Amino acid sequence: EDPEMLAAFEARIARGEKIEPRDWMPTLYRKQLIRMIEQHAHSEIMGALPEGTWITRAPGFKRKLALIAKVQDEIGHGQLLYNAAETLGKSREAMINDLISGKAKYSNVFNYPAVTWADVTVIGFLIDAAAIVNQVANSKGSYGPYCRALERICFEESFHLKQGHDAFIDLATGTPLQRRMLQEALNRWWQPIIHFFGPPDKDSQHTEKLMQWKVKMASNDDMRNQFLDQYVPKIWELGLTLPDPELRKDSASGKWLFGDPDWDLFHKVINGQGPCNQERLRVRQWAEFQGRWVREALMQPTEQWTAPAA
Ligand code: FAQ
């Protein structure tokens, strides 16, 4: 790579300028952005599945309506992110093919089942909260199309968080059975949520370069800490517990300490061996297959759309 071009590029980033699709960029910057934005897009599309299965079973009309709107938003976020990734030169078709063949990664959390309504509630409150911590940070980054997509996504996610928090409080202040259901769901989801922010900084392959290029605006550990700081008190104040006896804030460093979250399990889940990976992939493959005739029809030359002249 031309060292002068690279220096000019890095100077632009240091000045806080946005990089746009037609601007010169190092090959590695392009590759890393495609990797990250593509995985993010797939996560939104896969993220619609655990909640989507609850639309017909959500308790009451109001919750059903909110869930339909939320799931639709997640799919929309996926589309915005695929658009942003396409500006870097990888086609949407290639991305979808990598998803349904099992080659591409997507967020660990969507490989777990939503067993009860309380699981959907924990997703709507805490996974959305975790996603917002990450996305607000990334939205201040250096690649224009990704940041603009994230700004819009963050507005919508903030609504999701409100409905998730509302449903969470409903169960937390409900009957003993509702509280028990919520506590059990929280116990199931806590470890995946800790994993959500990625491996510890010392083991993160990509953080250093991505932070240097302002693609990531906070490290995995910093984002995890910010989440714990904001949300653990909200959980504890409702009288709920978290399944980690070592979880506490260290007053000297201001950092949260927690027990070993089993990073081997994390690696299994993100590499295809989580409880629902196969099921999630099968649903996407089925959707791709079912929609093929629509895509093929749309690709027909337009003259074939009109009836032939008599
Ligand atoms: N899951 O070197 P690092 C949402 C992989 S959107 C799966 O630390 P990096 C909305 C990583 O890709 C959720 N894989 O990686 C919603 C890499 O693998 P590779 C998604 C993970 O990129 C809410 C390897 O481990 N958000 O939830 C995970 O510097 C509710 C090494 O890791 C985004 O994608 C993981 N959790 O940092 C929808 C945001 N963590 O590619 C429905 C954008 C790491 O070398 C309902 N992404 N890996 O094979 C990012 O900010 C970053 O990519 C991180 C990971 C922070 C996720």
Side-chain angles (χ1 to χ4, degrees):
E1 217 120 49
D2 182 340
E4 271 181 33
M5 300 287 269
L6 184 61
F9 171 84
E10 289 187 335
R12 287 189 66 192
I13 294 203
R15 287 196 296 272
E17 286 177 32
K18 297 278 184 224
I19 306 299
E20 296 298 336
R22 287 170 189 278
D23 297 346
W24 185 89
M25 61 186 83
T27 311
L28 185 61
Y29 178 85
R30 185 184 296 277
K31 271 176 68 177
Q32 278 284 2
L33 270 166
I34 293 176
R35 179 191 68 82
M36 209 174 103
I37 304 174
E38 178 183 348
Q39 286 180 8
H40 193 169
H42 294 329
S43 303
E44 300 279 357
I45 301 285
M46 294 306 223
L49 300 179
E51 290 175 295
T53 58
W54 274 92
I55 290 173
T56 54
R57 294 173 289 164
F61 187 59
K62 191 181 103 184
R63 296 275 181 228
K64 281 190 176 65
L65 263 185
L67 196 59
I68 289 173
K70 179 183 189 233
V71 167
Q72 181 178 326
D73 282 355
E74 307 296 0
I75 298 293
H77 297 170
Q79 303 301 340
L80 287 174
L81 291 163
Y82 284 127
N83 285 348
E86 277 191 315
T87 64
L88 293 152
K90 182 164 180 179
S91 74
R92 180 178 300 233
E93 202 173 28
M95 290 187 267
I96 299 283
N97 283 340
D98 285 350
L99 174 66
I100 61 178
S101 70
K103 183 175 165 204
K105 285 199 173 73
Y106 56 88
S107 186
N108 68 300
V109 284
F110 303 123
N111 290 308
Y112 291 87
V115 186
T116 68
W117 169 250
D119 294 66
V120 179
T121 301
V122 171
I123 296 174
F125 180 33
L126 296 175
I127 304 281
D128 276 273
I132 291 176
V133 167
N134 167 286
Q135 289 165 165
V136 167
N138 287 352
S139 74
K140 313 276 190 310
S142 62
Y143 188 58
Y146 187 39
C147 298
R148 290 190 284 275
L150 286 177
E151 273 172 24
R152 170 155 171 205
I153 290 172
C154 287
F155 280 127
E156 294 185 357
E157 295 274 29
S158 306
F159 278 111
H160 299 175
L161 178 66
K162 281 193 195 309
Q163 69 87 33
H165 193 205
D166 183 65
F168 194 90
I169 288 181
D170 243 18
L171 291 185
T173 56
T175 63
L177 186 62
Q178 284 174 318
R179 277 184 68 84
R180 201 175 78 213
M181 221 168 80
L182 185 61
Q183 182 62 63
E184 286 170 3
L186 202 50
N187 296 348
R188 279 193 285 278
W189 284 88
W190 190 245
Q191 191 181 53
I193 290 173
I194 294 289
H195 290 162
F196 178 88
F197 298 94
D201 290 354
K202 65 177 173 43
D203 301 324
S204 165
Q205 297 155 245
H206 305 298
T207 296
E208 191 183 343
K209 199 72 199 163
L210 290 178
M211 287 193 68
Q212 182 197 333
W213 280 337
K214 295 191 184 167
V215 173
K216 269 170 88 165
M217 299 300 279
S219 76
N220 300 359
D221 286 338
D222 285 347
M223 286 188 286
R224 194 167 10 246
N225 198 63
Q226 193 188 325
F227 169 81
L228 294 172
D229 226 13
Q230 279 178 261
Y231 291 94
V232 172
K234 290 189 171 51
I235 297 167
W236 281 345
E237 80 190 9
L238 289 165
L240 296 158
T241 59
L242 290 165
D244 177 358
E246 293 175 49
L247 182 71
R248 67 180 176 87
K249 189 169 176 170
D250 175 41
S251 48
S253 64
K255 301 268 184 225
W256 284 82
L257 306 174
F258 46 86
D260 175 16
D262 192 352
W263 290 109
D264 289 344
L265 175 66
F266 166 78
H267 286 290
K268 277 195 189 140
V269 172
I270 68 171
N271 285 302
Q273 293 171 56
C276 294
N277 298 58
Q278 291 307 316
E279 182 187 329
R280 301 276 182 257
L281 277 187
R282 274 200 301 275
V283 175
R284 292 312 314 167
Q285 287 160 351
W286 176 84
E288 190 63 15
F289 176 74
Q290 290 292 315
R292 188 165 294 161
W293 71 271
V294 179
R295 289 190 301 280
E296 282 171 4
L298 284 171
M299 296 307 282
Q300 293 294 319
T302 45
E303 19 334 327
Q304 291 186 17
W305 291 8
T306 47

